[in-house]
Amino acid sequence: SSWRSQWVVGAWPLEEIISSHHFMFEDTFRVKTIDDSRFERAGRIDCESDQFAGNNLELDINHIIYPVSPGDMLQIAITDNVSPDRNRKLNTAYDHDKRLLGQSIMDHFEYVMYGKVYKKDENKKDSTAEVHASYGGLLMKLRSDPVQLQEFHVADGIYILIRKPQTASS
């Protein structure tokens, strides 16, 4: 049995895979509202952190592909690289083909988008920062403290990975 079949069969626990990946930002948010009045297939969700007071996320998502409702909990992770090999940069759509990429962190999330940071603001008076990104026209505004957003820079390519938390059943 090869390492690949062990990975697929489950020799690598999910939380170990996720905890070993470098994320620029991670948090769990509760969906407060959804505004789907502007576009037929996309809605803007407004979310509040469940763990850190002051963390707020506004994000446009395709609610046909990934439906969410007010009150839903979402685990959000943002990274600059989804490759299992941290030194390998993925530059084209072909690089993301599962047949070439193999197992990746994306396999452990339900909804993934790739985009670019186009603006970053820091308010020293309030000790808050905001990162604005566009995922092919779907926009994100993430507000947090400057330390949590220190790895974000204008023109960075980033992936946002989203999943609904698993509830323990026993």
Side-chain angles (χ1 to χ4, degrees):
S1 86
S2 71
W3 68 269
R4 189 174 175 90
S5 65
Q6 289 176 345
W7 186 310
V8 173
V9 171
W12 297 63
L14 175 61
E15 293 311 316
E16 184 179 318
I17 293 166
I18 291 174
S19 67
S20 68
H21 189 88
H22 172 74
F23 292 112
M24 299 163 68
F25 178 86
E26 273 185 281
D27 201 354
T28 302
F29 290 89
R30 179 177 305 282
V31 177
K32 294 190 312 187
T33 61
I34 303 170
D35 176 5
D36 57 2
S37 63
R38 295 179 206 179
F39 303 104
E40 187 178 324
R41 297 176 184 269
R44 179 161 295 166
I45 59 174
D46 184 5
C47 306
E48 208 167 62
S49 174
D50 207 43
Q51 299 169 334
F52 300 101
N55 280 9
N56 181 270
L57 174 71
E58 291 179 34
L59 179 68
D60 296 342
I61 64 165
N62 182 323
H63 57 74
I64 304 293
I65 294 173
Y66 194 67
V68 297
S69 302
D72 283 357
M73 298 299 291
L74 300 175
Q75 286 182 325
I76 306 289
I78 300 176
T79 186
D80 61 351
N81 193 346
V82 293
S83 174
D85 174 5
R86 286 286 302 153
N87 298 319
R88 179 177 170 211
K89 288 291 180 192
L90 306 175
N91 299 315
T92 71
Y94 297 111
D95 294 335
H96 294 85
D97 185 322
K98 188 155 179 69
R99 293 167 295 183
L100 300 174
L101 181 61
Q103 195 83 11
S104 82
I105 195 69
M106 293 187 295
D107 298 326
H108 305 288
F109 288 85
E110 301 160 339
Y111 187 75
V112 178
M113 296 189 291
Y114 175 78
K116 294 266 186 199
V117 174
Y118 67 86
K119 183 179 175 185
K120 183 177 179 183
D121 294 322
E122 198 168 316
N123 184 336
K124 294 191 188 309
K125 191 174 102 178
D126 293 345
S127 189
T128 61
E130 284 184 357
V131 170
H132 299 258
S134 177
Y135 300 95
L138 297 176
L139 303 179
M140 175 191 80
K141 178 170 74 172
L142 175 61
R143 184 180 311 114
S144 186
D145 68 77
V147 174
Q148 285 191 346
L149 302 181
Q150 68 185 355
E151 290 187 57
F152 292 87
H153 306 286
V154 172
D156 281 352
I158 58 173
Y159 298 84
I160 187 166
L161 303 101
I162 304 171
R163 69 181 182 170
K164 294 179 182 163
Q166 302 297 317
T167 55
S169 57
S170 33

